[in-house]
Amino acid sequence: MSAEPPSSGPPTGAPPALSAAAAPPPGPEPAPATPGLRATAFREVLSRALHHTLKGLTDPHFLSCFPTPAAHPAHRATLLDVHRQLITQYDALATASFENVLERFETVTKLNELDRLIEEAKARKAKAEAEAEKEKKGGPSNEKEVIPSTLPPLSILSLHLAPHLLKAQTALLEKLDVVQKENEVLVKKLEEQREEVLMLEGKLRKVVEEVEGTVKVVRESVVEGEKEEIAEGTEDREEKEQQEEDVEMVQA
């Protein structure tokens, strides 16, 4: 006698499985988000791109793929009808696929959240700029404490950079002071050297004048010596000529 197969039901003592009726009812599906500015623009971009793509699939292009049937007027009309149906179907499929992608990734909700954040940021920026302008003009401020998140980006950046800029400015001023002092010392040295150069130039001019005077005296002495030598030579020559004449007369 063969053994009976074990029962596939729950073991004795195990709690009974929850029935489908005992499960909590599913909640209502969330209502689709209303497209905002960027979501609407995104859909318009897709629609224009899709229509531009399908616009290139013209009747002549489609008929050129079937030259033999297109040569007959009856078949040509059928082909044109098929072409229009394909364009309509492709447009509907592409739009549905795009809507499916938008829904799966919650693109509309995220773009609406981005619109909200941008609008809030613009409002905080405008409010902070108005308060800053009011404080600049000396008007009383309604708030005693300024919330950093309400300040414009430039003000926050300035507040973060102020300590570093102040430190850098102090270091630059110290370096500038040192350079100015060094320049004053250099200017003083240059003035002393200039005075020394002027003094040496005066001494050199005196020496040059003395040398020129000495040269002038020497030159005059040389000229006078030459004149005396010329005069003595002339007298010797005349005396010699006179002697020669006397000798010739004696011989005659």
Side-chain angles (χ1 to χ4, degrees), residues 12-162:
T12 306
L18 294 175
S19 61
E29 296 183 358
T34 303
L37 179 63
R38 282 168 177 77
T40 304
F42 192 39
R43 283 180 170 173
E44 289 178 357
V45 169
L46 170 75
S47 178
R48 287 198 300 268
L50 181 60
H51 291 163
H52 181 72
T53 302
L54 296 178
K55 188 178 180 180
L57 302 176
T58 59
D59 292 344
H61 290 164
F62 183 77
L63 293 176
S64 65
C65 298
F66 308 95
T68 302
H72 301 279
H75 298 317
R76 182 184 180 89
T78 303
L79 288 174
L80 292 176
D81 189 23
V82 171
H83 175 243
R84 295 186 185 91
Q85 292 179 7
L86 287 175
I87 293 295
T88 304
Q89 187 175 3
Y90 286 156
D91 190 359
L93 287 176
T95 303
S97 298
F98 182 72
E99 292 294 335
N100 187 18
V101 171
L102 292 181
E103 183 179 358
R104 183 173 57 183
F105 292 99
E106 299 180 355
T107 307
V108 175
T109 303
K110 293 177 181 179
L111 289 176
N112 291 343
E113 182 68 14
L114 177 61
D115 291 339
R116 184 183 66 80
L117 292 176
I118 292 175
E119 292 300 326
E120 289 181 358
K122 289 181 179 179
R124 289 197 301 267
K125 179 181 178 182
K127 182 179 178 181
E129 289 178 350
E131 292 176 355
E133 186 68 21
K134 190 175 182 180
E135 291 180 359
K136 184 178 180 181
K137 293 180 179 179
S141 179
N142 296 329
E143 296 181 359
K144 296 181 180 180
E145 183 179 358
V146 178
I147 302 175
S149 60
T150 61
L151 295 175
L154 291 178
S155 299
I156 297 175
L157 180 62
S158 300
L159 291 176
H160 281 288
L161 293 179

Side-chain angles (χ1 to χ4, degrees), residues 217-230:
V217 172
V218 172
R219 186 177 297 170
E220 290 177 354
S221 300
V222 171
V223 172
E224 290 179 359
E226 290 178 353
K227 288 181 179 180
E228 290 178 358
E229 290 178 358
I230 293 171

Side-chain angles (χ1 to χ4, degrees), residues 177-193:
D177 190 16
V178 172
V179 172
Q180 287 178 349
K181 291 181 180 179
E182 292 178 353
N183 289 339
E184 291 177 358
V185 173
L186 291 175
V187 170
K188 187 176 180 180
K189 287 183 179 180
L190 288 175
E191 290 178 354
E192 293 177 355
Q193 292 177 357

